[in-house]
Amino acid sequence: MSQSFKVFVVDDDPVVLSIMHAILEPDCTLQMFSSAEDCRAKLASESPDLFLLDINLPGMDGYTLCRQIKDDAALCNIPVIFVSGNDTIEERIKGYDAGAEDFIVKPFEPEELLRKFMVAQSMVLNQRSLAVQVEEAEMLSSLVMASMDETGILLQFMSKLIAMESAEEVASGLLELMQRYHLDGVVQTRLG
């Protein structure tokens, strides 16, 4: 696992924060926040790869923070997992409606937290890999299109060349071809 994988944990219970730290720290870099406002302030300068949010927080609650994250174009693709003692189906649905990808009920089993973290981490790393592949494919396709355009110009000239009847037309066509390739040159034609 990668130390460069960053997780922002927002929970006002220091015991939960220390348990999460003990479970996840070997596999990522954690930043702990006791309020949504503290987390929002940090987001102005840094963003994580994953959020673990409690719902019941002092001040802004976890649902509101999650909606703000999902409404922010720079953050909206970062997964959010709620870790909360609110275990009713209504509360979990409210979490999903706020934009969360998953929900863990407190008290949680360490293995469940670790497994859900590993799934989220895998998804994030796969998305990054796909983004790199898309970028490389776009670059390759633009190179192919540019090459096709150049080939098209040459084929167009060759089809016109067949219909040219004089040395002046051939010379003029060659000069035009050179200009389309942004080349300077001189053409001399000699007839047999």
PDB file of all heavy atoms in Angstrom, residues 161-189:
ATOM      1  N   LEU A 161      -2.426  15.918 -59.520  1.00  0.00           N
ATOM      2  CA  LEU A 161      -1.253  15.837 -60.386  1.00  0.00           C
ATOM      3  C   LEU A 161      -1.575  15.090 -61.681  1.00  0.00           C
ATOM      4  O   LEU A 161      -1.112  15.469 -62.758  1.00  0.00           O
ATOM      5  CB  LEU A 161      -0.099  15.150 -59.636  1.00  0.00           C
ATOM      6  CG  LEU A 161       1.236  15.005 -60.376  1.00  0.00           C
ATOM      7  CD1 LEU A 161       1.802  16.381 -60.710  1.00  0.00           C
ATOM      8  CD2 LEU A 161       2.214  14.217 -59.531  1.00  0.00           C
ATOM      9  N   ILE A 162      -2.385  14.061 -61.568  1.00  0.00           N
ATOM     10  CA  ILE A 162      -2.750  13.268 -62.742  1.00  0.00           C
ATOM     11  C   ILE A 162      -3.456  14.130 -63.787  1.00  0.00           C
ATOM     12  O   ILE A 162      -3.255  13.966 -64.995  1.00  0.00           O
ATOM     13  CB  ILE A 162      -3.633  12.073 -62.323  1.00  0.00           C
ATOM     14  CG1 ILE A 162      -2.831  11.130 -61.428  1.00  0.00           C
ATOM     15  CG2 ILE A 162      -4.205  11.341 -63.521  1.00  0.00           C
ATOM     16  CD1 ILE A 162      -3.655  10.067 -60.749  1.00  0.00           C
ATOM     17  N   ALA A 163      -4.246  15.101 -63.339  1.00  0.00           N
ATOM     18  CA  ALA A 163      -5.018  15.936 -64.265  1.00  0.00           C
ATOM     19  C   ALA A 163      -4.248  17.157 -64.767  1.00  0.00           C
ATOM     20  O   ALA A 163      -4.715  17.867 -65.658  1.00  0.00           O
ATOM     21  CB  ALA A 163      -6.302  16.379 -63.587  1.00  0.00           C
ATOM     22  N   MET A 164      -3.069  17.413 -64.213  1.00  0.00           N
ATOM     23  CA  MET A 164      -2.304  18.592 -64.632  1.00  0.00           C
ATOM     24  C   MET A 164      -1.726  18.370 -66.013  1.00  0.00           C
ATOM     25  O   MET A 164      -1.196  17.306 -66.308  1.00  0.00           O
ATOM     26  CB  MET A 164      -1.202  18.903 -63.605  1.00  0.00           C
ATOM     27  CG  MET A 164      -1.733  19.332 -62.271  1.00  0.00           C
ATOM     28  SD  MET A 164      -0.399  19.660 -61.109  1.00  0.00           S
ATOM     29  CE  MET A 164      -1.313  19.974 -59.640  1.00  0.00           C
ATOM     30  N   GLU A 165      -1.834  19.411 -66.856  1.00  0.00           N
ATOM     31  CA  GLU A 165      -1.443  19.267 -68.258  1.00  0.00           C
ATOM     32  C   GLU A 165      -0.192  20.038 -68.634  1.00  0.00           C
ATOM     33  O   GLU A 165       0.375  19.815 -69.693  1.00  0.00           O
ATOM     34  CB  GLU A 165      -2.598  19.705 -69.160  1.00  0.00           C
ATOM     35  CG  GLU A 165      -3.808  18.827 -68.986  1.00  0.00           C
ATOM     36  CD  GLU A 165      -4.969  19.238 -69.864  1.00  0.00           C
ATOM     37  OE1 GLU A 165      -4.851  20.235 -70.612  1.00  0.00           O
ATOM     38  OE2 GLU A 165      -6.005  18.568 -69.797  1.00  0.00           O
ATOM     39  N   SER A 166       0.254  20.947 -67.765  1.00  0.00           N
ATOM     40  CA  SER A 166       1.428  21.738 -68.144  1.00  0.00           C
ATOM     41  C   SER A 166       2.443  21.759 -67.011  1.00  0.00           C
ATOM     42  O   SER A 166       2.127  21.474 -65.851  1.00  0.00           O
ATOM     43  CB  SER A 166       1.018  23.179 -68.493  1.00  0.00           C
ATOM     44  OG  SER A 166       0.605  23.853 -67.310  1.00  0.00           O
ATOM     45  N   ALA A 167       3.676  22.123 -67.372  1.00  0.00           N
ATOM     46  CA  ALA A 167       4.755  22.209 -66.388  1.00  0.00           C
ATOM     47  C   ALA A 167       4.441  23.289 -65.359  1.00  0.00           C
ATOM     48  O   ALA A 167       4.758  23.147 -64.170  1.00  0.00           O
ATOM     49  CB  ALA A 167       6.080  22.495 -67.085  1.00  0.00           C
ATOM     50  N   GLU A 168       3.789  24.370 -65.818  1.00  0.00           N
ATOM     51  CA  GLU A 168       3.444  25.455 -64.899  1.00  0.00           C
ATOM     52  C   GLU A 168       2.428  24.977 -63.846  1.00  0.00           C
ATOM     53  O   GLU A 168       2.521  25.338 -62.680  1.00  0.00           O
ATOM     54  CB  GLU A 168       2.863  26.659 -65.661  1.00  0.00           C
ATOM     55  CG  GLU A 168       3.870  27.402 -66.501  1.00  0.00           C
ATOM     56  CD  GLU A 168       4.106  26.722 -67.855  1.00  0.00           C
ATOM     57  OE1 GLU A 168       3.244  25.956 -68.329  1.00  0.00           O
ATOM     58  OE2 GLU A 168       5.183  26.937 -68.414  1.00  0.00           O
ATOM     59  N   GLU A 169       1.466  24.148 -64.265  1.00  0.00           N
ATOM     60  CA  GLU A 169       0.480  23.626 -63.316  1.00  0.00           C
ATOM     61  C   GLU A 169       1.155  22.710 -62.289  1.00  0.00           C
ATOM     62  O   GLU A 169       0.839  22.769 -61.103  1.00  0.00           O
ATOM     63  CB  GLU A 169      -0.608  22.828 -64.050  1.00  0.00           C
ATOM     64  CG  GLU A 169      -1.646  23.669 -64.752  1.00  0.00           C
ATOM     65  CD  GLU A 169      -2.705  22.806 -65.418  1.00  0.00           C
ATOM     66  OE1 GLU A 169      -2.346  21.986 -66.279  1.00  0.00           O
ATOM     67  OE2 GLU A 169      -3.885  22.953 -65.036  1.00  0.00           O
ATOM     68  N   VAL A 170       2.095  21.878 -62.754  1.00  0.00           N
ATOM     69  CA  VAL A 170       2.819  20.987 -61.849  1.00  0.00           C
ATOM     70  C   VAL A 170       3.627  21.810 -60.850  1.00  0.00           C
ATOM     71  O   VAL A 170       3.599  21.571 -59.640  1.00  0.00           O
ATOM     72  CB  VAL A 170       3.722  20.004 -62.628  1.00  0.00           C
ATOM     73  CG1 VAL A 170       4.610  19.223 -61.666  1.00  0.00           C
ATOM     74  CG2 VAL A 170       2.881  19.062 -63.473  1.00  0.00           C
ATOM     75  N   ALA A 171       4.355  22.829 -61.346  1.00  0.00           N
ATOM     76  CA  ALA A 171       5.168  23.682 -60.472  1.00  0.00           C
ATOM     77  C   ALA A 171       4.288  24.411 -59.464  1.00  0.00           C
ATOM     78  O   ALA A 171       4.592  24.473 -58.267  1.00  0.00           O
ATOM     79  CB  ALA A 171       5.985  24.662 -61.309  1.00  0.00           C
ATOM     80  N   SER A 172       3.183  24.955 -59.942  1.00  0.00           N
ATOM     81  CA  SER A 172       2.260  25.675 -59.063  1.00  0.00           C
ATOM     82  C   SER A 172       1.673  24.727 -58.010  1.00  0.00           C
ATOM     83  O   SER A 172       1.567  25.073 -56.823  1.00  0.00           O
ATOM     84  CB  SER A 172       1.147  26.301 -59.907  1.00  0.00           C
ATOM     85  OG  SER A 172       0.205  26.925 -59.077  1.00  0.00           O
ATOM     86  N   GLY A 173       1.307  23.517 -58.422  1.00  0.00           N
ATOM     87  CA  GLY A 173       0.769  22.524 -57.493  1.00  0.00           C
ATOM     88  C   GLY A 173       1.792  22.116 -56.445  1.00  0.00           C
ATOM     89  O   GLY A 173       1.457  21.946 -55.268  1.00  0.00           O
ATOM     90  N   LEU A 174       3.057  21.934 -56.857  1.00  0.00           N
ATOM     91  CA  LEU A 174       4.117  21.582 -55.897  1.00  0.00           C
ATOM     92  C   LEU A 174       4.345  22.700 -54.886  1.00  0.00           C
ATOM     93  O   LEU A 174       4.526  22.441 -53.686  1.00  0.00           O
ATOM     94  CB  LEU A 174       5.411  21.261 -56.640  1.00  0.00           C
ATOM     95  CG  LEU A 174       5.478  19.879 -57.289  1.00  0.00           C
ATOM     96  CD1 LEU A 174       6.697  19.764 -58.200  1.00  0.00           C
ATOM     97  CD2 LEU A 174       5.522  18.797 -56.222  1.00  0.00           C
ATOM     98  N   LEU A 175       4.340  23.943 -55.361  1.00  0.00           N
ATOM     99  CA  LEU A 175       4.507  25.074 -54.440  1.00  0.00           C
ATOM    100  C   LEU A 175       3.347  25.149 -53.435  1.00  0.00           C
ATOM    101  O   LEU A 175       3.551  25.403 -52.246  1.00  0.00           O
ATOM    102  CB  LEU A 175       4.637  26.387 -55.224  1.00  0.00           C
ATOM    103  CG  LEU A 175       5.965  26.582 -55.956  1.00  0.00           C
ATOM    104  CD1 LEU A 175       5.908  27.820 -56.854  1.00  0.00           C
ATOM    105  CD2 LEU A 175       7.121  26.700 -54.969  1.00  0.00           C
ATOM    106  N   GLU A 176       2.151  24.909 -53.929  1.00  0.00           N
ATOM    107  CA  GLU A 176       0.983  24.916 -53.049  1.00  0.00           C
ATOM    108  C   GLU A 176       1.094  23.794 -52.005  1.00  0.00           C
ATOM    109  O   GLU A 176       0.814  23.992 -50.824  1.00  0.00           O
ATOM    110  CB  GLU A 176      -0.288  24.728 -53.873  1.00  0.00           C
ATOM    111  CG  GLU A 176      -1.556  24.770 -53.056  1.00  0.00           C
ATOM    112  CD  GLU A 176      -2.789  24.517 -53.915  1.00  0.00           C
ATOM    113  OE1 GLU A 176      -2.847  24.969 -55.063  1.00  0.00           O
ATOM    114  OE2 GLU A 176      -3.702  23.834 -53.387  1.00  0.00           O
ATOM    115  N   LEU A 177       1.542  22.620 -52.450  1.00  0.00           N
ATOM    116  CA  LEU A 177       1.735  21.498 -51.539  1.00  0.00           C
ATOM    117  C   LEU A 177       2.758  21.857 -50.465  1.00  0.00           C
ATOM    118  O   LEU A 177       2.553  21.589 -49.268  1.00  0.00           O
ATOM    119  CB  LEU A 177       2.184  20.255 -52.317  1.00  0.00           C
ATOM    120  CG  LEU A 177       2.519  19.016 -51.479  1.00  0.00           C
ATOM    121  CD1 LEU A 177       1.280  18.494 -50.771  1.00  0.00           C
ATOM    122  CD2 LEU A 177       3.142  17.938 -52.346  1.00  0.00           C
ATOM    123  N   MET A 178       3.860  22.446 -50.860  1.00  0.00           N
ATOM    124  CA  MET A 178       4.905  22.827 -49.907  1.00  0.00           C
ATOM    125  C   MET A 178       4.364  23.841 -48.895  1.00  0.00           C
ATOM    126  O   MET A 178       4.689  23.768 -47.700  1.00  0.00           O
ATOM    127  CB  MET A 178       6.122  23.372 -50.654  1.00  0.00           C
ATOM    128  CG  MET A 178       6.855  22.276 -51.437  1.00  0.00           C
ATOM    129  SD  MET A 178       8.140  22.898 -52.538  1.00  0.00           S
ATOM    130  CE  MET A 178       9.266  23.613 -51.380  1.00  0.00           C
ATOM    131  N   GLN A 179       3.537  24.786 -49.360  1.00  0.00           N
ATOM    132  CA  GLN A 179       2.969  25.780 -48.446  1.00  0.00           C
ATOM    133  C   GLN A 179       2.038  25.119 -47.419  1.00  0.00           C
ATOM    134  O   GLN A 179       2.019  25.507 -46.259  1.00  0.00           O
ATOM    135  CB  GLN A 179       2.210  26.853 -49.228  1.00  0.00           C
ATOM    136  CG  GLN A 179       3.119  27.810 -49.964  1.00  0.00           C
ATOM    137  CD  GLN A 179       2.330  28.812 -50.799  1.00  0.00           C
ATOM    138  OE1 GLN A 179       1.143  28.636 -51.037  1.00  0.00           O
ATOM    139  NE2 GLN A 179       3.018  29.856 -51.241  1.00  0.00           N
ATOM    140  N   ARG A 180       1.295  24.114 -47.858  1.00  0.00           N
ATOM    141  CA  ARG A 180       0.380  23.426 -46.941  1.00  0.00           C
ATOM    142  C   ARG A 180       1.147  22.679 -45.847  1.00  0.00           C
ATOM    143  O   ARG A 180       0.637  22.466 -44.758  1.00  0.00           O
ATOM    144  CB  ARG A 180      -0.537  22.476 -47.705  1.00  0.00           C
ATOM    145  CG  ARG A 180      -1.540  23.282 -48.562  1.00  0.00           C
ATOM    146  CD  ARG A 180      -2.553  22.440 -49.225  1.00  0.00           C
ATOM    147  NE  ARG A 180      -3.542  21.961 -48.257  1.00  0.00           N
ATOM    148  CZ  ARG A 180      -4.520  21.149 -48.595  1.00  0.00           C
ATOM    149  NH1 ARG A 180      -4.637  20.725 -49.836  1.00  0.00           N
ATOM    150  NH2 ARG A 180      -5.385  20.742 -47.690  1.00  0.00           N
ATOM    151  N   TYR A 181       2.382  22.287 -46.150  1.00  0.00           N
ATOM    152  CA  TYR A 181       3.256  21.662 -45.148  1.00  0.00           C
ATOM    153  C   TYR A 181       4.137  22.703 -44.449  1.00  0.00           C
ATOM    154  O   TYR A 181       5.035  22.349 -43.700  1.00  0.00           O
ATOM    155  CB  TYR A 181       4.143  20.587 -45.787  1.00  0.00           C
ATOM    156  CG  TYR A 181       3.429  19.287 -46.064  1.00  0.00           C
ATOM    157  CD1 TYR A 181       3.140  18.906 -47.365  1.00  0.00           C
ATOM    158  CD2 TYR A 181       3.048  18.449 -45.033  1.00  0.00           C
ATOM    159  CE1 TYR A 181       2.484  17.699 -47.628  1.00  0.00           C
ATOM    160  CE2 TYR A 181       2.389  17.252 -45.285  1.00  0.00           C
ATOM    161  CZ  TYR A 181       2.107  16.885 -46.576  1.00  0.00           C
ATOM    162  OH  TYR A 181       1.461  15.708 -46.828  1.00  0.00           O
ATOM    163  N   HIS A 182       3.868  23.961 -44.724  1.00  0.00           N
ATOM    164  CA  HIS A 182       4.618  25.075 -44.127  1.00  0.00           C
ATOM    165  C   HIS A 182       6.106  25.011 -44.478  1.00  0.00           C
ATOM    166  O   HIS A 182       6.973  25.229 -43.630  1.00  0.00           O
ATOM    167  CB  HIS A 182       4.426  25.113 -42.607  1.00  0.00           C
ATOM    168  CG  HIS A 182       2.989  25.167 -42.202  1.00  0.00           C
ATOM    169  ND1 HIS A 182       2.209  26.286 -42.376  1.00  0.00           N
ATOM    170  CD2 HIS A 182       2.171  24.216 -41.658  1.00  0.00           C
ATOM    171  CE1 HIS A 182       0.989  26.046 -41.960  1.00  0.00           C
ATOM    172  NE2 HIS A 182       0.932  24.783 -41.512  1.00  0.00           N
ATOM    173  N   LEU A 183       6.380  24.692 -45.726  1.00  0.00           N
ATOM    174  CA  LEU A 183       7.747  24.631 -46.225  1.00  0.00           C
ATOM    175  C   LEU A 183       7.984  25.723 -47.249  1.00  0.00           C
ATOM    176  O   LEU A 183       7.080  26.121 -47.970  1.00  0.00           O
ATOM    177  CB  LEU A 183       8.022  23.268 -46.896  1.00  0.00           C
ATOM    178  CG  LEU A 183       7.860  22.019 -46.012  1.00  0.00           C
ATOM    179  CD1 LEU A 183       7.972  20.770 -46.870  1.00  0.00           C
ATOM    180  CD2 LEU A 183       8.906  22.002 -44.920  1.00  0.00           C
ATOM    181  N   ASP A 184       9.198  26.234 -47.283  1.00  0.00           N
ATOM    182  CA  ASP A 184       9.597  27.185 -48.313  1.00  0.00           C
ATOM    183  C   ASP A 184      10.433  26.421 -49.325  1.00  0.00           C
ATOM    184  O   ASP A 184      11.161  25.491 -48.971  1.00  0.00           O
ATOM    185  CB  ASP A 184      10.458  28.319 -47.715  1.00  0.00           C
ATOM    186  CG  ASP A 184       9.657  29.188 -46.744  1.00  0.00           C
ATOM    187  OD1 ASP A 184       8.454  29.392 -47.010  1.00  0.00           O
ATOM    188  OD2 ASP A 184      10.226  29.642 -45.736  1.00  0.00           O
ATOM    189  N   GLY A 185      10.330  26.806 -50.577  1.00  0.00           N
ATOM    190  CA  GLY A 185      11.116  26.090 -51.565  1.00  0.00           C
ATOM    191  C   GLY A 185      10.995  26.715 -52.938  1.00  0.00           C
ATOM    192  O   GLY A 185      10.239  27.667 -53.184  1.00  0.00           O
ATOM    193  N   VAL A 186      11.754  26.163 -53.834  1.00  0.00           N
ATOM    194  CA  VAL A 186      11.773  26.581 -55.233  1.00  0.00           C
ATOM    195  C   VAL A 186      11.508  25.334 -56.053  1.00  0.00           C
ATOM    196  O   VAL A 186      12.013  24.259 -55.759  1.00  0.00           O
ATOM    197  CB  VAL A 186      13.131  27.191 -55.606  1.00  0.00           C
ATOM    198  CG1 VAL A 186      13.197  27.537 -57.084  1.00  0.00           C
ATOM    199  CG2 VAL A 186      13.445  28.382 -54.722  1.00  0.00           C
ATOM    200  N   VAL A 187      10.724  25.485 -57.115  1.00  0.00           N
ATOM    201  CA  VAL A 187      10.425  24.355 -57.983  1.00  0.00           C
ATOM    202  C   VAL A 187      10.901  24.701 -59.392  1.00  0.00           C
ATOM    203  O   VAL A 187      10.641  25.789 -59.899  1.00  0.00           O
ATOM    204  CB  VAL A 187       8.912  24.063 -58.009  1.00  0.00           C
ATOM    205  CG1 VAL A 187       8.594  22.954 -59.014  1.00  0.00           C
ATOM    206  CG2 VAL A 187       8.416  23.694 -56.604  1.00  0.00           C
ATOM    207  N   GLN A 188      11.610  23.781 -59.970  1.00  0.00           N
ATOM    208  CA  GLN A 188      12.044  23.925 -61.352  1.00  0.00           C
ATOM    209  C   GLN A 188      11.499  22.729 -62.103  1.00  0.00           C
ATOM    210  O   GLN A 188      11.687  21.580 -61.688  1.00  0.00           O
ATOM    211  CB  GLN A 188      13.576  23.970 -61.434  1.00  0.00           C
ATOM    212  CG  GLN A 188      14.072  24.141 -62.852  1.00  0.00           C
ATOM    213  CD  GLN A 188      15.605  24.175 -62.919  1.00  0.00           C
ATOM    214  OE1 GLN A 188      16.278  23.569 -62.076  1.00  0.00           O
ATOM    215  NE2 GLN A 188      16.108  24.869 -63.887  1.00  0.00           N
ATOM    216  N   THR A 189      10.830  22.949 -63.183  1.00  0.00           N
ATOM    217  CA  THR A 189      10.302  21.844 -63.987  1.00  0.00           C
ATOM    218  C   THR A 189      11.008  21.828 -65.317  1.00  0.00           C
ATOM    219  O   THR A 189      11.299  22.848 -65.921  1.00  0.00           O
ATOM    220  CB  THR A 189       8.784  21.986 -64.214  1.00  0.00           C
ATOM    221  OG1 THR A 189       8.509  23.226 -64.831  1.00  0.00           O
ATOM    222  CG2 THR A 189       8.031  21.876 -62.932  1.00  0.00           C
TER     223      THR A 189
END
